[in-house]
Amino acid sequence: MPSVEDRLVAVLGARQGSGVLLTPELVLTSAHLFGKDDAVEVAAPDGGGRMPCDVVWSGDPGTYDVALLVAREPVLPLGQAPPLRWGKCAGWQPMPRCQVLGFPRVQRYAGEELEAVQVPGTLMPLAGRMRGRYVLHADHHPPAPVPDGSPWAGLSGGPVFAGPLLIGIASGDPMGWQHASIESVPLSAVIGDDGFRKALLNHWPGAPEFEEVTSAYPEDLSYEPAYAKAVKAAYSRLEIFGLEELSSGDWDLDTAYLSLEAQSPSGRTGSGPRRIEDLLGSRPRTVLRGEAGAGKTTLVWWLACHAVGRTLPGQLAELDGLIPFVVPMRSLAARGITSPTPSQLPKIARLPVDRPPDGWAGRVLEAGRGLLLVDGMDEIPQADRELARKWLAGLLRMYPRTRCLVTVRPLAVGSDWLEQEGFEELRLLPMGDEDIRSFAAAWHRAARLECDRYADEHWAKRQRDRLDKLEPELGHEFERNSVLRDLARTPLLCAVICALHRQWNGLLPKTRWDLYSAALSLMLARRDAHRRILKPEGIDLTADESRQLLQRIAVWLVRNGRAELSREQAVRQLDLALRGLRRVRAQGATPVVLAYLLNRSGLLQEQAPDSIQFIHRTFQDYLAAKEFQESDCLDELLLHAAEEQWQDVLRLAVGHCGRSEEKRLIAGLTAAADAAPDRETEWPLRALAAHCALHAKYIEDDQYQQVWAGLKRLLPARDQRELHSLGQEVVAAVR
């Protein structure tokens, strides 16, 4: 692949000089090589010969000894060349391993034939400060003097590079150094001239921003493109965890990424919901809290890929071009690393890249060019979190200009955990209806890209056509089914729904039990196992053990007509559940088990201090219904059948029941409806019985007909409230 050195050209005017291609037609060189009306040509070593040029801007040789030429045809294609990057010295420290390129007199062969030279040396930014020049001291022995000028004649206009960054244009050979030094015009100086900048942008609208060169190690800059490539390779694919029998869950990040809303703590200025990109740009240090599956890791990967690629949106311009160090805390825990040093930061994520130059990461952080992305502070054992806090605080005190984002589940650390280090808190919010539609569209775009990997093009086309059909169908499901829509409030669960819809060939289950069961399986077992998270709370629970514990909390909430409970109440319910779970009881005290469920299940959350609730009421009702069925308490459900807050539990209970239990539940509802004193009481009981009859796995004809006969005696519905209580499925069955 071509390199920046391939941009070197010879400039042929009144004098012979050198230049550098900015674009296939635009050449940067020295102004003193030609007069106002001189004809100018350029030639590239691998080009097609001399190419006539027009001078579009020329500076004063005494100050800005720089000129811009535009060739009348492309000099070189440059299609495979890396993007040209510009730099400026940000300090006075000598910078070894720089170079200047050109076609000097000393390098002639066969008489007067041109030959390129590559002069390595140390850039001395302070040496030409008063005259606005950079001075490069050549590493090798200087060329011998010549009687009629400088042996470096012809080098003027040649590019000066610090690593891959173009920082200057060679302009002269200062007296007194016996040709051991070469002067150059800093590009950062000439860009300040309005005429130059206007001419440049007219012919190169995509001119890059200047990068600061603060290191005495330009090889760092040569390494960074490889590091950037490795970051993109590692994080440009997004894992969307699927369910049993699903195909590949590996998606293109840019295709699947969705901008989410976040909110700062209430009571602070500007605390209303805003897009996360709008909030992160103005916060140098942020703790981002979010539930399981809320999109925290996806955001970290997206920031890393786009920061290193300089493609972040305008709101995050301050992060653009920073060097990201992704620190997945679960990897630290698995490898026994507690306090990584700067030199370990590039290695923690196991990127597919060679070892960096010694001290590189420290120099990046010292220069304020680092973006530290600490992902999953909850994914290390509780006992290690204080040590991790001290490590992070110490690192940021050592390198105070480092931007930092820490992601964590809501309860893993206290609200003041990093407050002394200047961190501000943000919390990811559930997706709104429009976000759900956008996510589903992105999911299907990613799925179509997956088809490109199929070897069989006929099969790939069939799958793409199938996805084209499924996507609008799922959109209609979201519009008409509020329960489904409310389940899809996190990217994880929305992805589960999309995956199930695809797996089941466009049909989501008519009942909710399979969907909930699949989601619970993913949340309680498969997700952490897939991510190889090793007992962060010192607890190892199976999905069934977690489910049984959560059922006890859910049934307590239903019985008490509550949507939340205190920690003390939660511990008391778990104590009761643990009596029969000997393996779990042996692993730790009940408060530790509660912490595990809060941080790892993704189903419980503590929205306010000492206030625990399920992430969605539907999961509470689903788990409570399961507990009522397993503990043989269906009669208790029937006693409350007329109470609105119990009716969703009853609707879900039928899906958990065996054949005899279904019969008993439906019979109890029918009997209660028969005994109802008025229509207002009877109507919801008939609707419940009809719903259970529709979803029963086994129901005899006489009982089924009895249910519908009782409902039909009340039809038609008198108002929208009665109609709504039936539900669309019952309404469709009645018709």
Side-chain angles (χ1 to χ4, degrees), residues 213-234:
V213 184
T214 58
S215 169
Y217 300 88
E219 68 269 28
D220 290 0
L221 299 172
S222 299
Y223 173 76
E224 286 171 14
Y227 182 81
K229 186 177 180 180
V231 167
K232 292 178 181 178

Side-chain angles (χ1 to χ4, degrees), residues 231 234-238 253 257-258 260 276-277 280 286-288 294-308 312 316 319 324-330 349 371-377 404-408 428 531:
V231 167
Y235 299 120
S236 63
R237 304 294 296 179
L238 172 65
L253 178 64
Y257 175 75
L258 175 70
L260 298 173
I276 188 67
E277 296 87 351
L280 284 180
T286 305
V287 173
L288 181 66
K296 301 183 299 297
T297 296
T298 301
L299 174 65
V300 164
W301 288 19
W302 182 82
L303 285 172
C305 277
H306 285 279
V308 80
L312 285 168
L316 295 172
L319 277 62
F325 298 111
V326 178
V327 183
M329 295 304 288
R330 58 183 173 272
L371 175 61
L372 190 61
L373 300 168
V374 182
D375 187 31
M377 192 59 79
C404 184
L405 172 69
V406 177
T407 72
V408 66
L428 284 175
R531 300 170 84 187

Side-chain angles (χ1 to χ4, degrees), residues 195-377:
F196 175 82
R197 187 167 59 252
K198 181 179 179 181
L200 177 74
L201 295 178
N202 280 342
H203 296 280
W204 192 18
E209 296 293 328
F210 278 91
E211 301 176 42
E212 289 189 350
V213 184
T214 58
S215 169
Y217 300 88
E219 68 269 28
D220 290 0
L221 299 172
S222 299
Y223 173 76
E224 286 171 14
Y227 182 81
K229 186 177 180 180
V231 167
K232 292 178 181 178
Y235 299 120
S236 63
R237 304 294 296 179
L238 172 65
E239 289 184 346
I240 297 179
F241 298 99
L243 305 176
E244 305 84 68
E245 301 177 3
L246 285 185
S247 60
S248 170
D250 183 36
W251 313 96
D252 177 74
L253 178 64
D254 284 337
T255 303
Y257 175 75
L258 175 70
S259 171
L260 298 173
E261 281 192 324
Q263 188 170 9
S264 60
S266 59
R268 299 189 183 184
T269 303
S271 60
R274 296 171 63 189
R275 292 295 165 184
I276 188 67
E277 296 87 351
D278 296 329
L279 293 168
L280 284 180
S282 61
R283 288 167 169 80
R285 298 180 181 181
T286 305
V287 173
L288 181 66
R289 297 180 185 265
E291 308 295 344
K296 301 183 299 297
T297 296
T298 301
L299 174 65
V300 164
W301 288 19
W302 182 82
L303 285 172
C305 277
H306 285 279
V308 80
R310 298 176 174 273
T311 52
L312 285 168
Q315 310 96 299
L316 295 172
E318 293 187 31
L319 277 62
D320 223 18
L322 295 183
I323 303 297
F325 298 111
V326 178
V327 183
M329 295 304 288
R330 58 183 173 272
S331 296
L332 295 189
R335 295 161 63 183
I337 302 173
T338 56
S339 302
T341 63
S343 65
Q344 290 176 301
L345 291 177
K347 307 171 189 174
I348 290 169
R350 301 181 186 273
L351 299 176
V353 65
D354 290 336
R355 178 178 174 179
D358 289 342
W360 169 69
R363 293 189 288 273
V364 168
L365 297 175
E366 180 67 37
R369 299 174 56 234
L371 175 61
L372 190 61
L373 300 168
V374 182
D375 187 31
M377 192 59 79

Side-chain angles (χ1 to χ4, degrees), residues 679 683 716-728 731 735:
R679 180 186 175 95
W683 180 273
R718 293 179 177 176
D719 51 37
Q720 284 297 317
R721 185 177 179 217
E722 284 191 351
L723 190 63
H724 179 74
S725 69
L726 288 178
Q728 291 186 356
V731 170
R735 290 172 180 167

Side-chain angles (χ1 to χ4, degrees), residues 5 61 97 114 131 146 343 348 427 544 550 582 616 656:
E5 288 82 3
R97 292 169 287 278
L114 299 182
R131 293 174 292 109
V146 294
S343 65
I348 290 169
R427 184 173 190 136
D544 189 62
L550 291 167
R582 296 173 60 86
H616 195 277
H656 297 302

Side-chain angles (χ1 to χ4, degrees), residues 587-637:
Q587 296 186 55
T590 308
V592 178
V593 175
L594 176 59
Y596 174 92
L597 293 173
L598 284 166
N599 283 325
R600 302 249 59 85
S601 72
L603 293 169
L604 283 184
Q605 60 185 356
E606 193 171 34
Q607 291 278 28
D610 205 32
S611 176
I612 295 171
Q613 63 184 30
F614 282 87
I615 62 169
H616 195 277
R617 177 65 181 265
T618 303
F619 283 119
Q620 172 187 310
D621 292 343
Y622 174 85
L623 289 164
K626 181 65 173 172
E627 180 63 22
F628 280 118
Q629 181 265 329
E630 287 187 348
S631 58
D632 195 21
C633 292
L634 294 180
D635 289 340
E636 182 182 356
L637 275 177

